[in-house]
Amino acid sequence: MTLGIMQPYFLPYLGYWQLLAAVDQFVVYDNIQYTKKGWINRNRFLRDGAEALFTVPLKKGSDYLDVAERSLAGDFDPRTVLNPLAEAYRHAPYFKAAFPVLEMVVSAAPRNLFSYLHHSITMIADYLEIRTPIVVSSTVAIDHGLAGQDKVLALCAALGATRYINSIGGRELYSVSAFAGRGIELRFLQSRSVTYAQYDHPFVPTLSIVDVMMFNSRDAVRGMLGAYDLV
C-alpha cells in the first residue's frame, strides 16, 4: 500500500492533487501547528497577468495552536474571496464549470479551520474524480507526540504502508535508509512542467488549482494529474 501525507492547504497547486491521486491512502494532518507564512489559509491566483493572493482570515489565536484548534474569523464574508476570483476569471474558458465548485468550497459552513480545509480538499478531489481515501491524522493510533520523520514512519506502520511518497520539497527531510529499515520504499514526486494558456499573458506557474480549473477542462486537468516522475 502506498501512502501520502500532507498538511491541509487551501486550494493548493497541481502537485498536491498529483500526490493525492498517486497514492492508495492520503493522510492529512489536523494535529500540526498552524504556520502564518505557509499556504494553510491562503494561495495564489492570476490577476491581470501577475500572481496575487487570496486569503481566508482567521480568528486571533496563539501561534502555537494546531490547525484543528484554529477558527475562521467570525466576520469572514466568503464574497471577499469569491469576488476577486470571479473578477479575475470570469472570461476564462471553464469559469462556468469551475466557479460553482469554488462557491461551495469557499462558502462552506464549518468555522473550524481544519474542518473547513478538509471540506475543501474533499470537494476538489470529488470534482477531479480522485477517489483516494483521505485519513485524518489524529484518528490514527500512534504516539502523536512524535514529529517529523518519526511521525511519518509511525503513520506508515500503523496504516500498513509499504511505500511512502512525499512531494519533492521534502527530499532533504527524510532518510531512504531509515524507511528501508522499516520495510518501506521512499519515493519523491517531481511534477513535470505543465503549461496552458492564461488569457494572452506569459504563463505564471504553480498557482492555485483554481487557476488550472479555470483554464482547462476537467478531463484536461485529470490528464495533468499524471504529469510527474517518482524519484
Side-chain angles (χ1 to χ4, degrees):
M1 190 273 286
T2 300
L3 186 68
I5 306 172
M6 287 292 286
Q7 294 188 34
Y9 296 134
F10 187 51
L11 298 169
Y13 80 122
L14 179 63
Y16 192 99
W17 308 100
Q18 290 175 331
L19 180 60
L20 177 56
V23 298
D24 299 313
Q25 285 193 70
F26 185 83
V27 174
V28 60
Y29 282 124
D30 61 332
N31 51 357
I32 194 168
Q33 187 174 321
Y34 170 80
T35 52
K36 286 183 178 179
K37 295 183 179 180
W39 301 104
I40 291 175
N41 61 307
R42 63 177 188 158
N43 221 295
R44 304 183 306 144
F45 72 110
L46 186 73
R47 183 168 60 193
D48 299 326
E51 66 177 66
L53 284 175
F54 59 85
T55 303
V56 174
L58 303 182
K59 184 182 295 185
K60 289 183 179 180
S62 168
D63 290 344
Y64 299 100
L65 292 176
D66 286 347
V67 173
E69 298 174 305
R70 299 298 302 267
S71 300
L72 274 60
D75 60 354
F76 169 55
D77 183 345
R79 291 175 295 183
T80 61
V81 173
L82 290 169
N83 288 349
L85 292 176
E87 182 63 27
Y89 292 111
R90 69 175 64 256
H91 299 299
Y94 295 95
F95 176 83
K96 289 183 179 179
F99 194 72
V101 181
L102 297 180
E103 287 182 306
M104 289 188 287
V105 166
V106 178
S107 302
R111 299 295 90 181
N112 172 267
L113 176 59
F114 177 76
S115 297
Y116 185 81
L117 296 172
H118 184 267
H119 176 266
S120 72
I121 293 168
T122 57
M123 286 291 297
I124 299 299
D126 186 62
Y127 174 78
L128 297 177
E129 300 177 352
I130 301 173
R131 306 304 182 199
T132 305
I134 298 174
V135 179
V136 177
S137 62
S138 65
T139 67
V140 183
I142 65 166
D143 175 3
H144 289 283
L146 296 172
Q149 178 174 274
D150 291 335
K151 189 168 188 176
V152 170
L153 286 168
L155 287 166
C156 287
L159 294 171
T162 55
R163 182 165 71 161
Y164 174 65
I165 301 178
N166 198 82
S167 62
I168 195 69
R171 200 168 187 177
E172 303 303 319
L173 302 177
Y174 303 111
S175 162
V176 172
S177 61
F179 278 80
R182 303 286 188 92
I184 302 166
E185 178 188 9
L186 175 62
R187 303 293 294 274
F188 296 92
L189 188 148
Q190 173 71 71
S191 297
R192 298 173 192 156
S193 177
V194 172
T195 62
Y196 49 86
Q198 294 170 325
Y199 299 130
D200 295 323
H201 304 298
F203 183 69
V204 180
T206 62
L207 299 179
S208 163
I209 192 65
V210 172
D211 191 79
V212 184
M213 291 165 54
M214 290 294 178
F215 290 113
N216 301 275
S217 70
R218 175 160 42 187
D219 285 346
V221 181
R222 282 185 52 76
M224 294 174 188
L225 295 176
Y228 64 83
D229 297 295
L230 293 180
V231 298

